[in-house]
Amino acid sequence: MAKRENLDVETSILPLKYVDLVEDIFHAILALALFAIGIGAFFYSIKRLVQTDPFFPNGMIQGVNDILFIVIILEILRTVISRFTDGVYQLDKFLIIGVIAAVRHILTVGASLTLESTKSDEAFRRSIYEMGLNAGIVVALVFAIFLSKSAHRRKTL
């Protein structure tokens, strides 16, 4: 009876090992593309950092923004690579990417508020709302990370 149940489970047109192989090859190509994009973004950021005038504060703010963008790319790369070891995408890694992206946006909006003194009242109000919304997103994502980590701890106990 056990043999009959095993035959019923694998009814795919292609054997599962070939589907997994194709999927692994595709993930490897994606990982290489992300790595190349990260390297390209790094060199472009250095070029832009050197060419930005004035360096303080515009160049420094742009440099921090670019570095956080590269960190996001590398975290996505790490998530794709961890797919090979664990076989699944991990929720925690995507939540961390979301936190980094939201913090990056908060810093960008805050810097633009600091540098642009000629903003209208409506544009200023919209920027403040945007920063508040992103702060709420960061708090929600950090809480989700906490819940995910506590769920993993309970599984191991």
Side-chain angles (χ1 to χ4, degrees):
M1 187 67 177
K3 285 184 179 181
R4 178 72 178 150
E5 289 177 10
N6 286 342
L7 291 176
D8 289 341
V9 170
E10 193 171 330
T11 58
S12 167
I13 296 172
L14 295 173
L16 189 58
K17 67 179 181 177
Y18 295 124
V19 173
D20 286 341
L21 178 66
V22 169
E23 186 179 16
D24 286 345
I25 291 170
F26 189 66
H27 278 100
I29 292 168
L30 289 177
L32 289 173
L34 281 169
F35 186 68
I37 289 169
I39 289 173
F42 174 74
F43 285 114
Y44 180 75
S45 297
I46 296 296
K47 176 186 168 203
R48 191 161 58 167
L49 187 65
V50 170
Q51 293 176 345
T52 301
D53 189 40
F55 177 72
F56 180 81
N58 296 345
M60 292 176 69
I61 292 168
Q62 187 62 48
V64 170
N65 189 33
D66 290 348
I67 287 170
L68 288 174
F69 178 68
I70 294 168
V71 168
I72 290 170
I73 292 171
L74 293 177
E75 284 296 325
I76 294 170
L77 174 63
R78 181 182 298 218
T79 302
V80 170
I81 290 172
S82 71
R83 163 67 172 79
F84 288 114
T85 57
D86 299 341
V88 294
Y89 287 109
Q90 298 173 348
L91 175 65
D92 296 346
K93 294 186 187 297
F94 284 109
L95 293 173
I96 291 169
I97 292 167
V99 169
I100 294 168
V103 168
R104 176 178 174 247
H105 193 73
I106 289 171
L107 292 173
T108 303
V109 172
S112 73
L113 281 175
T114 303
L115 294 177
E116 296 177 22
S117 59
T118 60
K119 276 196 174 201
S120 68
D121 287 343
E122 181 60 33
F124 178 77
R125 201 172 308 115
R126 188 175 33 144
S127 295
I128 294 297
Y129 289 144
E130 206 172 323
M131 286 177 61
L133 180 64
N134 277 303
I137 290 170
V138 168
V139 169
L141 288 173
V142 168
F143 184 65
I145 291 170
F146 170 76
L147 290 177
S148 176
K149 296 274 186 195
S150 64
H152 287 303
R153 271 188 254 125
R154 281 191 214 137
K155 280 184 183 178
T156 59
L157 295 179

